[in-house]
Amino acid sequence: MAVNQSQLGQMFEQVLRLSKVDASQSVAILKSHYSDARTVQAATDAALRLGAKVYSVELPSFNHPTAMGNDMTAYCGDTALTGNIAAQKALEAADLIVDTMMLLHSPEQEQILKTGTRILLAVEPPEVLARMLPTEEDKARVMAAAAVLEKARMMTVKSSAGSDFRAPLGQYPTVTEYGYVDEPGRWDHWPSGFLFTWPNEEQAEGVLVLDVGDILLPFKTYARERITLEIEKGFVTRIHGGFEAEYLRDYMAYFNDPEVYGISHIGWGLQPRAQWTAMGLHDKNDGMCMDARAFYGNFLFSTGPNTEVGGTRKTPCHMDIALRRCDIRVDDLQVVAEGEVVAPAASRVR
Ligand SMILES: [Fe+2]
């Protein structure tokens, strides 16, 4: 059923409060014609109730001719803000931006964040926002895991399906997503609840075997057969299996860019209210399926861009792939055992 507008407004008020919005703050609502009107209204009302100075920045929508499908992650890099310096300046002037349009993976977003402006992405349907309303407990659990990942020099992933993957770490920072933006220059996404980093350039290697039921985004499909990815020197070098491997291979080749095969962010899910099953109950155009990215105990692996952390790979193809039932280790600490979060203790749901 649908969340009513009053509930949605109250939820935005909670998230903006957690994001330290008060009467001293200016809040920009970034939107386009496809933004959810309920979300735009609720964000505006909540920011006003908190006493903030509120304004909207509406941009014409942008679709790259190469993009396939409507998923917001199906084409990365260029957005409606690309080259629009006046709009960028208007956004940089805000203390906080509620992004109902999707700037993620764009260099412009990084420039805005560098000015100290905070960005909260909110593009999932209101009912998904409601189920995964962020809490301070979510942040505490993600930060407990981040304290371990930040110091780590190696992540290894194994599974009974045959995954055996190693990623030396240290070159790139750890990124946390807990659903609100309480620090200057912070980006976050409501809903979320996971963490990740990037392998050192050209060092990740091994094999990842996607098992039946693992999730491929932006396809929004559950794998029905195993897909094997071979990884050498930081790049996927072979994709094999049956039809689904062929589909993935052909999709990535379509972009005609060797950088699409680079390993992007890797990490694990810590959000118990995100559900592996949720994607099956939504249409493909309902949102970007953060459930798949955040469900508790997943291994979230991805390919393509690394501009979020200052890397040079600005490539349009970004696959997020959520694997279940993996064993994940960071250095000597096993953090996930067969898809169950086991450490650190403060990252587990009590
Ligand atoms: Fe991703």
Side-chain angles (χ1 to χ4, degrees):
M1 298 297 280
V3 168
N4 69 47
Q5 201 60 30
S6 173
Q7 286 174 300
L8 187 57
Q10 285 167 12
M11 292 191 295
F12 260 99
E13 205 170 314
Q14 177 172 327
V15 175
L16 293 182
R17 248 186 238 286
L18 288 169
S19 301
K20 299 183 176 169
V21 170
D22 59 24
S24 72
Q25 298 268 297
S26 57
V27 173
I29 313 293
L30 174 62
K31 60 180 181 174
S32 191
H33 82 273
Y34 55 83
S35 295
D36 189 311
R38 294 184 293 166
T39 298
V40 169
Q41 189 64 51
T44 304
D45 290 349
L48 285 169
R49 277 202 299 277
L50 293 170
K53 301 287 181 286
V54 183
Y55 60 103
S56 299
V57 175
E58 179 160 4
L59 296 178
S61 57
F62 166 82
N63 180 56
H64 195 282
T66 307
M68 280 199 287
N70 293 335
D71 188 280
M72 290 180 181
T73 65
Y75 191 94
C76 297
D78 294 329
T79 71
L81 195 58
T82 305
N84 192 335
I85 304 297
Q88 186 172 329
K89 282 192 171 12
L91 291 165
E92 287 174 359
D95 294 303
L96 183 145
I97 299 164
V98 179
D99 177 4
T100 69
M101 195 196 82
M102 180 80 167
L103 289 181
L104 182 58
H105 300 300
S106 69
E108 290 74 22
Q109 171 169 293
E110 290 316 298
Q111 288 168 24
I112 293 168
L113 294 170
K114 278 192 185 128
T115 69
T117 296
R118 328 197 277 293
I119 302 179
L120 178 67
L121 181 65
V123 290
E124 290 284 62
E127 293 68 32
V128 177
L129 300 182
R131 178 159 44 81
M132 289 187 270
L133 185 64
T135 65
E136 287 173 314
E137 290 73 34
D138 289 338
K139 176 181 176 180
R141 286 186 297 95
V142 172
M143 295 309 286
V148 169
L149 185 56
E150 274 163 5
K151 293 194 208 93
R153 288 294 170 266
M154 180 71 80
M155 183 186 295
T156 60
V157 178
K158 294 189 178 182
S159 72
S160 57
S163 291
D164 188 358
F165 172 77
R166 296 165 297 285
L169 307 176
Q171 183 176 347
Y172 290 114
T174 290
V175 176
T176 55
E177 289 192 25
Y178 47 76
Y180 54 95
V181 283
D182 52 351
E183 302 285 341
R186 179 173 175 78
W187 175 91
D188 210 317
H189 189 175
W190 170 23
S192 53
F194 57 106
L195 75 164
F196 47 89
T197 187
W198 277 254
N200 296 347
E201 287 298 337
E202 301 183 5
Q203 292 182 19
E205 58 180 15
V207 176
L208 284 169
V209 181
L210 316 192
D211 206 352
V212 173
D214 292 343
I215 292 176
L216 293 100
L217 304 169
F219 302 163
K220 298 194 180 92
T221 53
Y222 294 99
R224 304 282 174 135
E225 58 188 15
R226 287 184 174 176
I227 306 171
T228 299
L229 308 180
E230 293 183 22
I231 295 140
E232 296 171 61
K233 295 182 180 167
F235 284 78
V236 175
T237 52
R238 287 189 70 214
I239 301 170
H240 52 94
F243 158 74
E244 299 200 8
E246 181 187 359
Y247 186 93
L248 177 60
R249 216 165 42 228
D250 202 68
Y251 176 78
M252 294 180 82
Y254 163 74
F255 290 87
N256 196 25
D257 176 1
E259 301 220 296
V260 306
Y261 299 102
I263 305 303
S264 186
H265 58 83
I266 53 172
W268 65 99
L270 288 171
Q271 177 53 272
R273 284 166 289 138
Q275 298 299 314
W276 166 68
T277 51
M279 191 176 72
L281 292 115
H282 281 278
D283 291 333
K284 288 199 180 193
N285 286 334
D286 275 357
M288 56 188 281
C289 201
M290 288 305 289
D291 279 280
R293 292 178 177 87
F295 71 82
Y296 196 67
N298 77 13
F299 170 58
L300 185 66
F301 156 82
S302 71
T303 57
N306 62 3
T307 52
E308 296 100 308
V309 281
T312 56
R313 271 206 313 275
K314 184 190 172 206
T315 183
C317 174
H318 181 51
M319 295 296 306
D320 279 316
I321 298 174
L323 287 77
R324 296 186 300 158
R325 298 177 185 146
C326 290
D327 296 330
I328 308 174
R329 286 180 178 273
V330 287
D331 292 341
D332 294 330
L333 182 68
Q334 183 160 17
V335 292
V336 174
E338 291 185 54
E340 274 298 315
V341 178
V342 291
S347 72
R348 302 187 63 205
V349 174
R350 270 168 259 271

